[in-house]
Amino acid sequence: GGGVEKHRRRFVRGGQGAEGKGYDAKEEHYMILNFEKLRVTPIIHELITRIYQVSSGFPFSERNGLQSQLRRSMTSVLLNVAEGSARSSRKDYARFIRIAIASLVETKACLDIVKSLKYVDAEQHFVLDGECRSLYISLVSLRNSISSIASA
């Protein structure tokens, strides 16, 4: 639309990018995408909400320990997906998705610890573990998709 064309004209003069590279229409499309349009975003939001709900029942002594770590690691997944989507290259975007995946693995490790401490029951752990595994597959797929486009 007009807004995209205005943006392109403002930042891409005479068909040349800021580093003198030729203008790439595929790159423009990538740049206007944002994390809210990704299929993983509502899934991550839902898992963040569930983590906050479950961890609210942790002992008070865990407020600055596992409760905080679990919440921060899960929130970091979304924040890295969001930040990566705003980066100027697909290579950078893929790097942030890798960081989001690492944060998800950290979340999974925290869930395993809180299960062993009996802060969550087996059923809660089973559900959250399954959601983490499913999200992991989705994020790896997203990373692979971004990486394959970046190397094309």
Side-chain angles (χ1 to χ4, degrees):
V4 172
E5 184 59 27
K6 180 179 173 184
H7 176 78
R8 188 190 71 74
R9 283 194 310 265
R10 182 173 174 199
F11 292 105
V12 186
R13 269 199 198 146
Q16 296 295 309
E19 296 155 9
K21 296 179 182 173
Y23 172 70
D24 181 358
K26 287 192 306 186
E27 197 67 23
E28 176 185 336
H29 176 71
Y30 160 74
M31 292 304 299
I32 63 170
L33 270 177
N34 65 46
F35 76 99
E36 293 174 320
K37 295 178 183 174
L38 297 172
R39 282 179 274 184
V40 296
T41 298
I43 297 166
I44 298 169
H45 269 285
E46 178 62 29
L47 193 47
I48 290 170
T49 300
R50 292 175 61 78
I51 292 291
Y52 267 76
Q53 290 168 343
V54 167
S55 64
S56 67
F58 289 6
F60 183 79
S61 61
E62 289 296 349
R63 178 151 294 173
N64 295 314
L66 280 170
Q67 181 189 53
S68 174
Q69 190 64 35
L70 180 59
R71 288 175 172 187
R72 284 184 293 118
S73 63
M74 190 60 230
T75 302
S76 181
V77 175
L78 181 59
L79 297 178
N80 279 291
V81 169
E83 185 171 352
S85 72
R87 290 297 173 147
S88 61
S89 73
R90 286 185 172 88
K91 183 177 178 182
D92 244 4
Y93 190 5
R95 182 173 65 85
F96 275 88
I97 299 302
R98 284 192 297 277
I99 295 168
I101 291 167
S103 293
L104 182 62
V105 171
E106 180 182 351
T107 300
K108 165 71 172 89
C110 286
L111 286 170
D112 291 346
I113 293 168
V114 300
K115 179 188 176 207
S116 68
L117 293 171
K118 299 189 183 347
Y119 295 163
V120 296
D121 63 35
E123 183 180 341
Q124 288 174 313
H125 181 267
F126 179 79
V127 170
L128 291 169
D129 183 78
E131 290 175 2
C132 283
R133 290 174 187 275
S134 177
L135 179 55
Y136 177 87
I137 292 167
S138 296
L139 287 172
V140 168
S141 177
L142 176 60
R143 182 204 61 206
N144 291 345
S145 173
I146 294 165
S147 294
S148 69
I149 294 169
S151 63

